[in-house]
Amino acid sequence: MLVWCIKRQIALANAKNLILGLTCFSSQLTRSAGMSSMAEKKDVDKDKPITRVLFCGPHFPASQIYTREYLEKYPFIQVLFSNCPAYVDDVPLKQVPDHIGNYDLCVSKNMLFDSNVLSRAKQLKLIMQFGVGLEGIDIDAATKHGIKVARIPGDATGNAASCAEMAIYLTLGLLRKQNEMQISVQQKMLGEPIGETLLGKTVFIMGFGNIGIDLAKRLKPFDVKIIATKRSWPSNSEVLIPKAFPTQNGVLDDLVDEKGSHGDIYEFASKADIVVCCLSMNKETVGILNKPFLSSMKKGALLVNIARGGLLDYEAVVQHLESGHLGGLGIDVAWKEPFDPNDPVLKFKNVILTPHVAGVTEHSYRSMAKVIGDVALQLHAGKPLKGIELVN
C-alpha cells in the first residue's frame, strides 16, 4: 500500500510539472508572438519599407543561415529561404517564380534565372551568387529588365583560398591513393599502397584567376613546377603575397614557371603530371575537358576539377579511366548535382569525389554572408553597392 501511495504521488507531481512546463512554453510562444507583432509595428511606425532577400534552393544551407544571423539585428531586412532543410520553407522552390516580384534581392545559388522568371521580378533590384558562378543567370535578360547581377570576389572572402586548399587535398588524395589506403585499413595491412609525392611534379593550372593564384601560392612550397594558362596576362600580376615568397616592388616574380594562353591548353596538358581546372564556365568552356583534351594529357596524369561540373565531358572521362590513360580523377563538382551515389564512375579506385564543398568553410561562408548582408543594407538605404563585382 505504501509503495502504491508513493508511486501515485510521483505521478501527480510529474503531471503537475508537465502542466507547468506546457503553460510556461505557451507563455513563451505568446510573448514571442507579441514581440514579433511589436517588431512589425515598430517597422510600420518607422515608416520604412522592408527590404526582402530571398535565397533560392535547398543546397548550401549555411549560406542563408549565416546571412540571417548577420542581419537579425536589422528588423527592416527580411531574409527568406526556399526549401532550406534547416528551416520550415518560407517559399517553396517551385513557387519562387510566382512570388519573385515581392523581393528586392535574390541569391540564386543553383536556381535557374531565365527570361521567364526575370520578367516577373518587378521589384527585384539585384541577383547575386553566394560565390562567383553566374552560369545559371540570363544576364542579358536581367539587363533588359533593369536588374543588376553580381558575384562576390573570391579573393576578399577567403573563398578562393578555400577552393585552392581543396584542390591540393584532392591532388594529395590521388597521389597517396586515398581509397586504397582505406581498403588497407579495413584489411589490417601495413605499408600499402605505395603512393606518389608532389615533389618535382609539373602542375598545370588551367585558368589563372583568383583561385589559380591562391593555388599557385600554396603549391610552391611543395617544390613543383607550375605552368598556367590565362586568356590574357597582365604585364605584372600584382597580388597579395605572403612574406615567404620572393617579391620585387609588390609583384610576385616566380609564381608561374611557364605562362600560356587558352590556345596552349593541349600543349600544356601534355607536359603536366597534374592538371587542375580552375576555369569559369561559359559558352566557350562547357565540356572543354573532352576527349581531345584528355587524350593530350600524359598517360597516368591526374585531373582535378574544383570549378564546375559542366566543364567535364562525362563519357570521355569514363573512357579514359577505363583505358588507364587517365591516372586519377579528383572532383568537387559533377556533371549532375546532387551527385548520384550509384554512378558507375565511383567503381574506380582512383576517383575521389567531394560534395561541392571546396568553398564551404566557416571563414569563407561567414565572410560572404557579411557581404550579402551589407549589400542588403546598402540597397535598403539607397547607397552605392560595395564589396561585390557587378557584371552588367
Side-chain angles (χ1 to χ4, degrees), residues 87-99:
Y87 286 83
V88 175
D89 296 344
D90 290 314
V91 182
L93 186 60
K94 291 182 179 179
Q95 296 180 20
V96 168
D98 299 325
H99 296 277

Side-chain angles (χ1 to χ4, degrees), residues 13-278:
N14 287 340
K16 183 178 179 181
N17 288 336
L18 177 61
I19 292 170
L20 286 172
L22 288 172
T23 303
C24 180
F25 180 67
S26 175
S27 175
Q28 287 176 345
L29 285 177
T30 303
R31 286 199 303 272
S32 178
M35 289 173 67
S36 178
S37 298
M38 287 174 63
E40 290 174 5
K41 186 175 184 304
K42 189 177 180 182
D43 288 338
V44 173
D45 291 343
K46 283 183 177 179
D47 196 27
K48 270 191 174 183
I50 293 175
T51 295
R52 292 180 171 84
V53 180
L54 179 64
F55 281 76
C56 303
H59 305 296
F60 311 98
S63 59
Q64 55 256 38
I65 294 170
Y66 286 2
T67 304
R68 179 176 276 185
E69 288 177 3
Y70 180 73
L71 288 168
E72 63 186 357
K73 59 185 176 182
Y74 303 101
F76 47 84
I77 307 291
Q78 185 179 43
V79 180
L80 297 176
F81 312 154
S82 66
N83 290 72
C84 175
Y87 286 83
V88 175
D89 296 344
D90 290 314
V91 182
L93 186 60
K94 291 182 179 179
Q95 296 180 20
V96 168
D98 299 325
H99 296 277
I100 195 170
N102 300 323
Y103 297 94
D104 304 280
L105 167 60
C106 276
V107 181
S108 62
K109 299 209 291 181
N110 47 352
M111 179 177 166
L112 181 65
F113 279 78
D114 58 17
S115 57
N116 175 50
V117 174
L118 293 168
S119 66
R120 308 186 195 188
K122 304 302 181 184
Q123 185 176 315
L124 194 61
K125 302 177 183 68
L126 176 67
I127 303 173
M128 290 186 64
Q129 180 57 281
F130 202 85
V132 297
L134 300 173
E135 61 273 5
I137 303 169
D138 187 333
I139 297 174
D140 291 337
T143 304
K144 177 182 175 182
H145 292 286
I147 302 167
K148 291 293 183 182
V149 179
R151 61 167 58 96
I152 301 175
D155 58 337
T157 60
N159 184 57
S162 297
C163 291
E165 290 173 3
M166 178 59 78
I168 293 176
Y169 166 80
L170 291 170
T171 300
L172 292 174
L174 292 173
L175 286 169
R176 303 308 296 266
K177 302 181 180 178
Q178 177 178 301
N179 294 332
E180 293 178 52
M181 285 195 287
Q182 292 305 309
I183 294 172
S184 291
V185 170
Q186 292 166 10
Q187 295 178 351
K188 297 184 179 180
M189 301 195 57
L190 301 177
E192 295 184 33
I194 297 176
E196 275 285 356
T197 177
L198 257 177
L199 178 67
K201 296 291 189 293
T202 297
V203 181
F204 171 22
I205 301 177
M206 194 175 176
F208 204 70
N210 289 327
I211 295 173
I213 291 170
D214 273 4
L215 176 57
K217 290 179 187 177
R218 286 155 178 78
L219 280 174
K220 269 299 179 182
F222 286 95
D223 199 12
V224 299
K225 179 181 179 180
I226 296 175
I227 60 179
T229 54
K230 184 179 176 70
R231 289 199 175 278
S232 60
W233 292 87
S235 55
N236 286 310
S237 297
E238 299 207 12
V239 293
L240 295 175
I241 304 155
K243 293 180 180 179
F245 292 96
T247 62
Q248 182 178 357
N249 300 323
V251 178
L252 196 58
D253 294 331
D254 62 349
L255 193 57
V256 179
D257 297 289
E258 185 177 353
K259 299 176 182 177
S261 65
H262 185 68
D264 298 317
I265 62 173
Y266 296 105
E267 179 189 347
F268 276 39
S270 69
K271 300 177 180 179
D273 302 295
I274 301 151
V275 176
V276 183
C277 184
C278 304

